[in-house]
Amino acid sequence: MSVSCLVMAACAQMATADWQKRIGHFSLDEAKQNLGAPESCVNLDHGGKACSWRASTRGTSDRLVLTFTAAGQLATADTVHFSSAD
């Protein structure tokens, strides 16, 4: 499978996933298995992590940002939209 197919499959999964239903019972390890390695992760003051994955579509540079508790469970899920400059 080509890299572009993998990226497109991951982006499609990000768009269709109901992240709000996964809060509290979806782990960072599961996110990595489903979405691949995050583009970046930062440690949070409470001991958790915030990680982001590229969710780009044509004309945008969107990011899926998932935060996890210190126990590694999904706490929040947000898609941040960026429009490309014309």
Side-chain angles (χ1 to χ4, degrees), residues 30-65:
E30 289 173 305
K32 289 177 180 178
Q33 288 174 350
N34 285 284
L35 303 172
E39 194 171 73
S40 65
C41 283
V42 295
N43 293 323
L44 302 174
D45 290 341
H46 63 73
K49 289 186 182 254
C51 298
S52 70
W53 287 262
R54 186 180 305 249
S56 296
T57 57
R58 198 166 286 185
T60 67
S61 182
D62 297 350
R63 299 284 186 279
L64 172 65
V65 179

Side-chain angles (χ1 to χ4, degrees), residues 5-83:
C5 288
L6 288 173
V7 170
M8 288 175 64
C11 289
Q13 183 167 354
M14 284 183 217
T16 60
D18 187 349
W19 294 106
Q20 299 307 311
K21 288 185 178 177
R22 297 178 181 194
I23 290 174
H25 48 88
F26 188 76
S27 71
L28 177 55
D29 288 338
E30 289 173 305
K32 289 177 180 178
Q33 288 174 350
N34 285 284
L35 303 172
E39 194 171 73
S40 65
C41 283
V42 295
N43 293 323
L44 302 174
D45 290 341
H46 63 73
K49 289 186 182 254
C51 298
S52 70
W53 287 262
R54 186 180 305 249
S56 296
T57 57
R58 198 166 286 185
T60 67
S61 182
D62 297 350
R63 299 284 186 279
L64 172 65
V65 179
L66 303 178
T67 62
F68 297 88
T69 65
Q73 294 300 303
L74 182 63
T76 66
D78 295 292
T79 302
V80 180
H81 300 282
F82 299 94
S83 296

